[in-house]
Amino acid sequence: MVKVGSMRRVQRILLIASMLVLCAGGASASWWRHRKPASPAPQPAPAEATAMVLNAIETGASAAPQVILKTSGAPAFTSLSPTPDQFVVDLSGTTKAASLTMPTLLPAGVSAVTADEVTEMGGRLTRVTVRLSGGGTPQASAEGNSVVITLPAPAVVEAPPVPKIETPAAVAPAPVESTIRIEPVSSVKATLLKKIETAGKGDAMDVQIATNGDANYSAFKLDKPARIVIDFPGIKNKAAKSTNVDDWLVKSIRAGQFKDDVARVVIDLSKPIAYNITKSGDKLHVTFGEAPKTVAAPAPAPEVKVAAAPKMEPAKPTDIVSQVPAVADTATWKLPQDASQGATAIIHAQDQAPPPPAPRSRRTPTPLSQPQPAQPVPAPSSTENVFSEPSQAVNPLAAGGSRQLSAGEKVFTGEPISLNLKDADIKDVLRTFAQLTGLNIAVDPNVSGSVTVDFVDVPWDQALDLILRQNGLSYVLEGNVMRVGTLSRLSEEAAANRRFQEEERLNVPLTTVSFKLSYARAGDVSGLLKELASPRARIIVDQRTNQLIISEIPAYLQTMRNLIDSVDVANRQVVIEARVVETTQSFLQQYGFNWGFRGTLDPSVGTGTGLVFPSRVDAIGGPFDFAAGNPVLSFSLGNVLGTFTLDVALNAAEQESSARVIAAPRIQTQDNVSAQIQAGTQIPFQTRINFTTTVTYVDATLSLSVTPQITEAGTVIMDISVQKNDPGVQAAEAPGPSIATRRASTKLMVRDGGTAVIAGIYQTNDTSVQDRLPFLYQIPIIGNLFKSHNINSTHQELLIFITPHIVRTS
């Protein structure tokens, strides 16, 4: 325990001097780089760093099959598995040997091995791709001057089959969809992207990208929407800007100049799917699904024995922390083991990342036994903008394994240190940190404050960060110097630097170009471009010729050009067909009697009453009208003298009807453009107010209004309004007839060519009416003469169907 807070200033200086003397005697070359001590003999200067060379690729087998990459020194590499059937090893700062050949005998589960030199983030590296034909995930590890890729052991161990070397006469002609003929790669570096062709369909499609030589490339996959992006550094695009592919998997292929020295090819897919990239001669083959079979070229090159390259020492990582000198044996530092042997960094795929280490106790520190593995490389974001330049992410290998000191969620990997400070001056504490750790620290004059801490086995970088934050301080790294200052001072300087850089970036001559649009309106596109334009940009719209005239900084023009290419496309069209089906069924049944009688007692005919008064009597009954329907039978009965008559009539009717009306309006419109169709008549209504006659018209029509939206999944979302108006019966004092209205408004999604019922109405009207004479209608049989029978039943049904059809252009 170093108790610094309890000593006086002179004692602290003596303590530091004694520690430096002890450091000079106990220093050892290890993971830390030391400054030259005063007394011992000077260390020999390190040899000039030489580029790493990939000399050979061999296969082997121990407990499991292996692919061995032999380099000229201890390699720094990154391993990841972008797709289930690919395993990629990137050798940082490594080039291919001119005599490098691929192994002819491949282990079980490996279909092909390729090695390409690529450029990523400004650095050259060699990418070795192992294409897998079996399941499982390989593991990569460093062994001396080699990277050993261990493949999953097969379930059943069998004797290795005798390889069959195919000659041109023995190779049967295979379809392009399943076999790719591997040709020797040209020794001339490619400078032009000539053309893009396709062969096959679906999962067996082969996208062939032709260049004029050996092309370096980098590829990644994006989602939402699904697409594959392939960049060719140092190549100019001369291929067609867009290629339509009539296939269910690949929708289109776009090619353009992403940057002045980078050509980009984007393959738009209908769904995410695994892909494989194979280089054959001057062509790059992009296939989908399982890895394609590869056939050797007709004239294979003779086998050449490669002499072993001289062993070279790996380049030491150079960063701020690597210059920390050795410390005394009495200090509470715990140095790691020598990390100069073997690989300098191993980055696994995300599914292989090791779990985080368990937290250490404050009083029982755990000594550091080996360096911590670096963090996994994140996969490309699905929301990456393919029109703008990608953000310059920090490559973990480019910094030579430097420790992270940036803001945000930090990972502290410094060596443990114990400090006990009480009211110590912040400047003295920072000076002590500079001497103990070897950091170059510059403190601003306005930094002040005191420090009171009690740390036990705390990483030194975490202790320094906590001390700075307690005093409202922060730091910036300028080269190999850490500058410490107040938050306000550093933030003001950062803002001023950003403003200066922005002004410097905008202070360039403007370039004026014109774009003539074919499908989009120039006024609409100008609004989108203003969101991406710089403050100095001028966008002029020529409505007559539908052109855009843009005066802009050259760095912004490519982004604007890519945006115009993506929005100036033909709108898809859709045909909307609606069917209004209306059925009516009615039943009517009526029957009843109409009767009456007349009788008289008259002395003149011998039927008098025999009384003086009344001597004559007349009786009339009815008529009793219980008739419903049409007349069927009529009877008139009377006696001989005609003094009594009876009239009886039977009326009956039955009616049954069925009607079906189908109306099918049909309209075609573009995506996201509303359309309306209407057919029928207009009924005039005349009104008179204050001696003024006004005539208005009311629609009795069938109308369809729809706004479609075509989705990428092949469905159509529609805002629909269907209305059917029919003239009804005009009332006695009404100014015009009534209007029977049927209307439906909704929003729904229907697949292409599918039919959906958007509305339906089912109406039933049953009526039973009886006209009868009280009490007498209840008499059996005879009571039917005193009542009528009337039944009326009506059933109505209305259904509205909608069917969208996406128009497929040739």
Side-chain angles (χ1 to χ4, degrees):
M1 177 74 67
V2 179
K3 298 185 177 294
V4 182
S6 61
M7 301 181 182
R8 290 180 299 176
R9 185 179 185 87
V10 177
Q11 293 174 334
R12 291 198 297 266
I13 296 175
L14 293 176
L15 174 61
I16 294 172
S18 60
M19 292 175 63
L20 293 176
V21 174
L22 292 174
C23 291
S28 59
S30 63
W31 188 44
W32 306 88
R33 284 196 173 185
H34 307 310
R35 296 176 180 174
K36 294 181 180 180
S39 56
Q43 297 285 342
E48 183 179 356
T50 306
M52 197 82 65
V53 178
L54 176 61
N55 294 323
I57 299 179
E58 301 178 354
T59 59
S62 54
Q66 294 178 340
V67 176
I68 304 172
L69 313 179
K70 292 190 175 183
T71 58
S72 59
F77 71 93
T78 302
S79 63
L80 68 156
S81 179
T83 59
D85 56 353
Q86 284 188 0
F87 186 74
V88 177
V89 176
D90 287 345
L91 301 174
S92 178
T94 305
T95 59
K96 293 194 305 181
S99 58
L100 178 66
T101 58
M102 297 297 107
T104 57
L105 298 179
L106 299 179
V110 177
S111 60
V113 178
T114 59
D116 302 304
E117 292 183 2
V118 298
T119 302
E120 284 192 355
M121 300 180 183
R124 297 283 295 178
L125 56 88
T126 298
R127 174 166 295 165
V128 179
T129 304
V130 180
R131 304 192 181 278
L132 308 174
S133 58
T137 302
Q139 300 290 334
S141 60
E143 296 182 3
N145 293 345
S146 302
V147 176
V148 178
I149 304 174
T150 304
L151 304 170
V156 179
V157 179
E158 297 180 356
V162 178
K164 181 180 179 181
I165 303 177
E166 299 184 7
T167 62
V171 177
V176 178
E177 293 79 5
S178 60
T179 304
I180 295 177
R181 191 181 189 86
I182 303 299
E183 299 178 355
V185 179
S186 174
S187 59
V188 180
K189 292 297 182 181
T191 59
L192 296 178
L193 177 61
K194 299 193 298 184
K195 61 179 179 179
I196 301 176
E197 299 177 341
T198 60
K201 288 184 176 294
D203 294 343
M205 173 168 286
D206 179 17
V207 179
Q208 303 173 9
I209 305 173
T211 58
N212 63 345
D214 182 16
N216 295 329
Y217 70 93
S218 61
F220 55 92
K221 182 169 61 175
L222 300 177
D223 296 330
K224 297 180 181 179
R227 57 200 188 277
I228 298 172
V229 181
I230 306 174
D231 286 341
F232 297 88
I235 292 181
K236 296 292 185 180
N237 176 46
K238 296 298 182 181
K241 182 171 61 174
S242 179
T243 303
N244 293 326
V245 183
D246 187 12
D247 188 72
W248 65 270
L249 177 61
V250 178
K251 297 189 295 185
S252 64
I253 302 174
R254 295 173 289 148
Q257 199 68 33
F258 175 60
K259 291 189 294 186
D260 293 339
D261 58 345
V262 177
R264 169 165 287 187
V265 176
V266 180
I267 304 175
D268 296 319
L269 306 176
S270 60
K271 65 176 183 178
I273 189 173
Y275 68 95
N276 305 276
I277 300 180
T278 305
K279 184 182 292 186
S280 175
D282 295 344
K283 290 185 179 180
L284 210 66
H285 297 265
V286 183
T287 57
F288 305 94
E290 297 182 355
K293 297 180 180 179
T294 57
V295 179
E303 182 178 359
V304 178
K305 296 184 179 180
V306 182
K311 185 175 181 181
M312 303 172 62
E313 293 296 331
K316 301 284 187 177
T318 58
D319 58 358
I320 299 175
V321 184
S322 62
Q323 301 177 4
V324 177
V327 296
D329 296 336
T330 57
T332 57
W333 296 68
K334 298 178 178 60
L335 298 178
Q337 295 179 356
D338 192 352
S340 63
Q341 299 178 359
T344 58
I346 300 177
I347 302 179
H348 300 279
Q350 295 193 13
D351 55 352
Q352 306 172 18
R360 294 180 294 182
S361 172
R362 185 175 186 269
R363 293 298 178 183
T364 57
T366 303
L368 213 60
S369 59
Q370 58 183 0
Q372 296 294 332
Q375 298 298 321
V377 176
S381 171
S382 60
T383 59
E384 179 180 348
N385 182 6
V386 298
F387 301 121
S388 301
E389 296 185 8
S391 60
Q392 297 298 327
V394 178
N395 188 353
L397 298 179
S402 60
R403 288 178 171 83
Q404 178 178 353
L405 295 175
S406 60
E409 184 179 356
K410 301 179 181 179
V411 178
F412 299 103
T413 59
E415 293 306 314
I417 186 174
S418 299
L419 289 177
N420 185 1
L421 305 176
K422 181 178 181 182
D423 296 333
D425 186 78
I426 183 64
K427 294 183 179 180
D428 294 337
V429 174
L430 293 176
R431 190 181 301 110
T432 303
F433 265 99
Q435 295 173 353
L436 290 178
T437 62
L439 292 175
N440 298 319
I441 299 179
V443 182
D444 282 358
N446 55 354
V447 171
S448 62
S450 60
V451 179
T452 300
V453 295
D454 183 9
F455 291 151
V456 177
D457 292 331
V458 176
W460 67 264
D461 47 355
Q462 183 180 8
L464 178 60
D465 183 74
L466 291 174
I467 291 173
L468 293 178
R469 286 194 285 126
Q470 282 181 341
N471 289 271
L473 305 176
S474 184
Y475 62 87
V476 292
L477 294 177
E478 298 179 359
N480 62 346
V481 178
M482 175 188 290
R483 181 186 168 195
V484 179
T486 60
L487 293 174
S488 59
R489 175 70 178 273
L490 296 179
S491 61
E492 290 175 1
E493 290 184 359
N497 289 335
R498 285 194 299 269
R499 290 193 298 268
F500 175 76
Q501 294 174 1
E502 181 68 16
E503 291 294 336
E504 189 178 32
R505 185 170 60 91
L506 298 179
N507 190 20
V508 296
L510 300 180
T511 302
T512 302
V513 294
S514 63
F515 298 93
K516 188 171 184 180
L517 307 183
S518 300
Y519 305 101
R521 295 182 181 272
D524 298 338
V525 178
S526 65
L528 300 176
L529 295 177
K530 290 178 181 179
E531 299 294 331
L532 303 176
S534 67
R536 297 183 58 194
R538 292 189 59 194
I539 302 176
I540 303 175
V541 178
D542 185 2
Q543 300 288 356
R544 185 182 65 85
T545 59
N546 198 33
Q547 284 193 91
L548 288 172
I549 303 172
I550 303 174
S551 182
E552 178 58 292
I553 297 173
Y556 285 77
L557 284 178
Q558 183 60 41
T559 301
M560 290 185 172
R561 181 179 291 107
N562 293 334
L563 177 59
I564 293 174
D565 291 342
S566 65
V567 300
D568 188 26
V569 294
N571 282 357
R572 290 180 290 180
Q573 299 187 102
V574 59
V575 176
I576 309 296
E577 180 181 1
R579 281 174 291 170
V580 182
V581 180
E582 184 177 4
T583 61
T584 302
Q585 293 182 348
S586 62
F587 176 76
L588 175 66
Q589 187 181 68
Q590 297 175 331
Y591 61 87
F593 294 92
N594 187 2
W595 61 278
F597 66 89
R598 179 184 180 89
T600 180
L601 297 177
D602 190 352
S604 62
V605 293
T607 58
T609 61
L611 301 177
V612 177
F613 180 83
S615 62
R616 177 185 174 84
V617 177
D618 292 328
I620 300 175
F624 300 102
D625 188 3
F626 299 106
N630 301 322
V632 177
L633 293 175
S634 179
F635 297 94
S636 180
L637 307 175
N639 57 5
V640 176
L641 299 177
T643 57
F644 184 80
T645 58
L646 176 64
D647 297 326
V648 180
L650 172 63
N651 289 6
E654 184 171 305
Q655 181 181 5
E656 184 175 5
S657 64
S658 177
R660 184 180 182 185
V661 179
I662 299 178
R666 181 186 178 98
I667 192 170
Q668 180 174 347
T669 182
Q670 290 186 344
D671 186 19
N672 288 316
V673 178
S674 61
Q676 184 177 4
I677 185 174
Q678 186 174 6
T681 59
Q682 288 184 326
I683 301 175
F685 284 84
Q686 185 176 6
T687 57
R688 184 178 179 84
I689 301 175
N690 296 332
F691 305 102
T692 301
T693 302
T694 304
V695 178
T696 59
Y697 292 87
V698 178
D699 292 333
T701 60
L702 172 65
S703 64
L704 170 65
S705 178
V706 61
T707 303
Q709 177 185 348
I710 304 174
T711 67
E712 293 296 331
T715 59
V716 182
I717 301 175
M718 297 172 287
D719 285 321
I720 306 171
S721 178
V722 181
Q723 184 171 352
K724 188 175 185 297
N725 297 337
D726 294 325
V729 180
Q730 183 174 356
E733 298 180 356
S738 60
I739 302 296
T741 301
R742 302 162 188 83
R743 181 177 181 180
S745 297
T746 184
K747 181 176 183 178
L748 75 162
M749 180 174 65
V750 185
R751 63 177 177 85
D752 179 24
T755 301
V757 180
I758 64 172
I761 300 175
Y762 185 78
Q763 183 177 358
T764 301
N765 188 5
D766 294 329
T767 305
S768 178
V769 180
Q770 279 192 358
D771 293 335
R772 58 197 181 190
L773 194 64
F775 308 113
L776 297 181
Y777 79 94
Q778 297 178 350
I779 301 175
I781 301 176
I782 300 178
N784 292 325
L785 299 176
F786 302 96
K787 63 182 179 180
S788 65
H789 181 78
N790 190 342
I791 296 177
N792 189 358
S793 178
T794 303
H795 294 178
Q796 292 181 340
E797 186 173 1
L798 175 66
L799 294 176
I800 302 177
F801 302 87
I802 198 76
T803 304
H805 298 279
I806 300 176
V807 178
R808 307 293 181 182
T809 58
S810 58

